[in-house]
Amino acid sequence: MNALLNRREGLVLVGYRGTGKSTVGRLLAERSGRPFVDADDEIEARAGRSIRAIFEESGEPAFRDWEERVLREVAEARPGAVLATGGGAILREANRRVLRSFGRVVWLRAEPHILVRRLETDARTRSTRPALTSGGVLDEIADVLAARTPLYEEVAHASVETEGKPAHEIADWILEYWSRCSDPRPPQEPHPCS
């Protein structure tokens, strides 16, 4: 299957935080022999501070500027990589264009109550990620997800529900999808990646 993958076409994972983008992305990179890039880690390394600190010290617009710059630079410097984005990377139109031109975009989905459970057990998220609204966690997730869903739908070539599925199963599905979409042979029936 990996031999069929177009080596120049990257893979982008989008979705709300807690959907498993980094975990699944690492598995996909390992299985496909591609480099893995976590956009949030790149931002923190380049900024020399956590995402929470960027939000608190400089505000969300400054963070979004960092995010846009890093996504553009990663797309130029690391073609063919597996890229896990931050949950809000899709907010700017420029980012959506970059992500679509980088390669296949897969949206990892989960319902708000599932995301609450995952985020409450993730110490890294609690310590390094800022609150995005003044509401409670479930209300915040539901509100932000409702606002972002049309943008995820716009940018994604495919989506996968993550609830109840182990990361390796999600990675298997994405690899199969990516392989079908990268196959240079003409399809014998309507192509699922068109």
Side-chain angles (χ1 to χ4, degrees):
M1 174 179 2
N2 293 344
L4 293 178
L5 292 177
N6 177 335
R7 299 307 291 182
R8 297 281 303 165
E9 181 182 60
L11 180 76
V12 181
L13 301 177
V14 298
Y16 199 84
R17 61 183 165 194
T19 55
K21 298 181 302 287
S22 295
T23 301
V24 172
R26 284 184 183 89
L27 283 171
L28 288 165
E30 180 182 305
R31 291 180 184 179
S32 65
R34 307 290 185 102
F36 173 70
V37 180
D38 184 303
D40 284 348
D41 290 348
E42 287 287 318
I43 293 166
E44 289 181 339
R46 294 175 191 206
R49 53 193 170 144
S50 71
I51 290 171
R52 180 185 293 270
I54 296 170
F55 266 77
E56 290 173 354
E57 296 164 13
S58 306
E60 184 174 357
F63 170 75
R64 298 297 172 201
D65 290 343
W66 271 105
E67 184 173 57
E68 183 176 338
R69 185 170 46 253
V70 165
L71 289 174
R72 186 178 59 248
E73 290 170 2
V74 166
E76 291 171 4
R78 311 284 294 274
V82 174
L83 172 61
T85 66
I90 45 78
L91 292 173
R92 289 190 175 176
E93 184 179 343
N95 292 349
R96 294 192 303 275
R97 281 194 311 267
V98 165
L99 298 178
R100 289 282 294 206
S101 67
F102 184 73
R104 289 284 151 186
V105 180
V106 178
W107 173 24
L108 303 187
R109 299 182 334 265
E111 292 297 320
H113 69 280
I114 298 299
L115 295 170
V116 169
R117 190 172 68 229
R118 290 177 184 173
L119 295 173
E120 286 177 344
T121 61
D122 184 356
R124 180 174 188 260
T125 292
R126 285 196 317 270
S127 67
T128 63
R129 300 297 190 259
L132 300 174
T133 69
S134 58
V137 177
L138 181 59
D139 289 340
E140 172 184 312
I141 291 171
D143 291 348
V144 172
L145 197 54
R148 292 180 181 176
T149 292
L151 301 175
Y152 290 132
E153 289 171 341
E154 175 189 328
V155 75
H157 294 97
S159 67
V160 61
E161 175 60 50
T162 63
E163 182 179 350
K165 296 177 185 164
H168 70 87
E169 186 178 310
I170 297 165
D172 289 344
W173 184 91
I174 293 171
L175 273 176
E176 176 63 29
Y177 164 78
W178 193 14
S179 178
R180 280 194 325 266
C181 295
S182 296
D183 190 342
R185 296 173 295 182
Q188 300 302 315
E189 54 190 58
H191 204 276
C193 305
S194 303

